[in-house]
């Protein structure tokens, strides 16, 4: 920890500072937050200060119905970079450390596809996917060769790394640069000295180092408007206030990255996409397939499509759409370059000019298997504008809690209040949170908080059957190994190779 601070200043001395030439070819800048949510003015948060993200939104199409395909860091990033859900690309849970989940070696990721087409690729920040050859960038500054705090939270370092990439890798080629912040992810589990959200990292306090470009903002916990899924307690409010401080660092970092893009002369030919990997690390958030766990902020700013700048789209969108969108921007045919896999996402470029008239057939899917290696709780989901169906495959076990969330002030307060039989000031109980039925069906129009489970209700039988079929078809199309779970076994080898079957366990 103590050497983190030294690195903050050292990097200022080792990177040259000079202007980069402009490029008349089309480029892409993809910016990703880590566990980021809707804590910004654009999404009507009146407290958290995010002027740079709000400025980007003014030059973007703003997405109000964007969702991750999996509410977990590595699986979401693998889906983002392949266009394939995690059960299809092979990263079933967290990649780092002992968990060791990797994509299959024959998976073709976005940077590998783009390199084959002469496009320079770079990544700065949190990578959290593997193996290396499957996700290979020309320029890599990640936790594989730096501290993740440096490349993911030190916004001065990230600014200079961006400058270095734009100077050295973009002179003759179009480029794809992926800037993956580690903010506002919790760090109290691994680095408690920096605070619950690393809100003290680089702030100039003793032992915290100094990030020259960061101007820390601290928030009053009693002024915060909490989302419905966070308990209204002092402990939770203080937790959120610390999260806001880290989001402000993220926002200032986004501003620095965008300034580097402009100073290098690329702001008029670069598609900029901003989003987050999964829900925020609070109860009912990350690792859940409720909207509080999968709904994501998203902006797409195109200098070639200004018709809908600062407008909102309500079209259902998935992070699985990012790869088709970027391939479309570069004029690459995904049917040829991602073969033999057929991507289930769609290009979002048409939305930049026109809102679809008919959205009745729009739907998004999600596939969660694990977070930490011990957190086996596979779930599958289909969501339309009106309804959501969740299939909890491991419903006979309690819903698992991840390590960094477990020690958070918010969860510890819920836990202690529950043990002491006190009011938790939460919208559900821990017992309800842990124990879930196999099927959950929600009418999102009348029940946006997803509290009234309609599965099994006679009036919703036809709706549930239709959604089950849509979910099954998507699982089949994406080669989901869990397609027969939990009441049958998939046989697709030998005599069943050309006629896969779900063989019943008779355990209904």
């Amino acid at each position: 920890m103590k050497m983190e601070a030294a690195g903050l200043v050292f990097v200022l001395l080792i990177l040259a500072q000079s202007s980069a030439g402009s490029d008349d070819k089309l480029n892409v800048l993809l910016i990703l937050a880590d566990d980021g949510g809707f804590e910004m003015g654009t999404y009507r948060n009146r407290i958290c200060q995010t002027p740079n993200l709000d400025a980007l939104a003014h030059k973007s199409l703003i997405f109000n119905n964007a969702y991750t395909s999996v509410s977990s860091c590595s699986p979401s990033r693998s889906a983002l970079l392949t266009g394939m859900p995690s059960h299809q690309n092979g990263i079933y849970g967290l990649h780092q450390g002992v968990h060791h989940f990797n994509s299959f070696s024959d998976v073709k990721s976005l940077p590998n596809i783009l390199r084959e087409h002469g496009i320079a690729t770079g990544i700065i920040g949190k990578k959290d996917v593997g193996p290396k050859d499957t996700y290979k960038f020309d320029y890599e500054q990640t936790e594989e060769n730096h501290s993740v705090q440096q490349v993911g939270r030190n916004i001065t370092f990230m600014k200079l790394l961006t400058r270095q990439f734009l100077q050295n890798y973009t002179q003759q080629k179009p480029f794809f640069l992926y800037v993956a912040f580690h903010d506002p992810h919790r760090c109290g589990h691994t680095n408690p000295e920096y605070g619950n959200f690393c809100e003290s990292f680089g702030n100039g306090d003793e032992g915290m180092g100094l990030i020259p470009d960061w101007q820390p903002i601290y928030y009053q916990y009693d002024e915060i408007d909490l989302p419905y899924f966070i308990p209204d307690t002092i402990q939770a409010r203080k937790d959120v206030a610390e999260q806001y401080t880290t989001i402000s660092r993220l926002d200032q970092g986004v501003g620095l990255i965008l300034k580097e893009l402009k100073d290098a002369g690329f702001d008029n030919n670069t598609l900029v996409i901003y989003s987050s990997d999964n829900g925020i690390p609070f109860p009912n958030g990350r690792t859940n397939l409720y909207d509080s766990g999968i709904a994501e902020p998203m902006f797409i700013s195109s200098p070639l499509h200004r018709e809908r700048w600062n407008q909102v789209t309500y079209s259902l969108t998935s992070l699985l759409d990012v790869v088709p969108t970027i391939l479309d921007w570069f004029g690459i045919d995904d049917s040829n370059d991602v073969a033999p896999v057929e991507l289930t996402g769609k290009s979002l470029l048409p939305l930049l000019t026109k809102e679809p008239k008919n959205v009745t057939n729009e739907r998004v899917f999600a596939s969660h298997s694990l977070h930490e290696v011990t957190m086996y709780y596979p779930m599958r989901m289909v969501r339309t504008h009106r309804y959501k169906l969740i299939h909890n495959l491991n419903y006979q076990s309690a819903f698992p809690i991840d390590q960094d969330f477990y020690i958070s002030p918010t969860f510890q307060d819920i836990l202690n209040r529950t043990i002491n039989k006190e009011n938790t000031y939460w919208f559900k109980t821990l017992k309800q949170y842990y124990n879930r039925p196999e099927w959950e069906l929600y009418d999102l129009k009348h029940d946006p908080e997803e509290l009234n489970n309609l599965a099994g209700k006679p009036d919703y039988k036809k709706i549930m059957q239709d959604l089950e079929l849509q979910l099954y078809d998507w699982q089949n199309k994406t080669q989901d190994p869990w397609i027969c779970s939990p009441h049958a076994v998939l046989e697709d080898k030998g005599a069943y190779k050309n006629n896969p079957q779900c063989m019943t366990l008779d355990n209904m």
Side-chain angles (χ1 to χ4, degrees), residues 398-399 414 418 426 428-437:
F399 188 80
I414 293 175
T418 300
W426 195 27
K428 58 177 65 173
T429 67
L430 269 184
K431 184 177 180 179
Q432 291 170 327
Y433 191 66
Y434 292 151
N435 301 316
R436 306 182 183 189

Side-chain angles (χ1 to χ4, degrees), residues 211-232:
I211 301 174
D213 289 295
W214 183 37
Q215 303 299 318
I217 302 173
Y218 299 100
Y219 295 87
Q220 297 297 318
Y221 70 85
D222 55 346
E223 296 179 355
I224 290 171
D225 297 323
L226 293 174
Y228 69 90
F229 55 91
I230 296 180
D232 192 356

Side-chain angles (χ1 to χ4, degrees), residues 241-261:
E242 292 170 353
Q243 178 209 26
Y244 280 13
T245 295
T246 318
I247 289 168
S248 292
R249 181 170 58 213
L250 162 72
D251 175 77
Q252 293 173 32
V254 169
L256 294 173
I257 302 302
L258 294 177
K259 186 177 186 301
E260 291 299 318
L261 188 75

Side-chain angles (χ1 to χ4, degrees), residues 28-31 51-60 155 158-159 162-163 166 177 179 181 250-268 270-274 299 301:
V28 172
L29 170 62
L30 173 60
I31 303 174
N52 296 289
L53 286 168
D54 295 338
L56 175 60
H58 278 286
K59 298 173 62 176
S60 304
I155 59 176
M158 298 175 74
K159 172 190 76 173
T162 299
R163 186 178 302 173
L166 295 177
L177 177 60
V179 179
F181 286 85
L250 162 72
D251 175 77
Q252 293 173 32
V254 169
L256 294 173
I257 302 302
L258 294 177
K259 186 177 186 301
E260 291 299 318
L261 188 75
K262 182 177 182 179
D263 290 349
F266 295 121
D267 58 329
N268 288 323
T270 301
L271 184 76
V272 179
I273 303 174
Y274 171 83
F299 312 143
S301 178

Side-chain angles (χ1 to χ4, degrees), residues 194-206:
Y194 292 137
N196 290 314
F197 281 91
C198 265
E199 68 274 6
S200 297
F201 176 72
N203 70 353
D205 289 350
E206 184 177 355

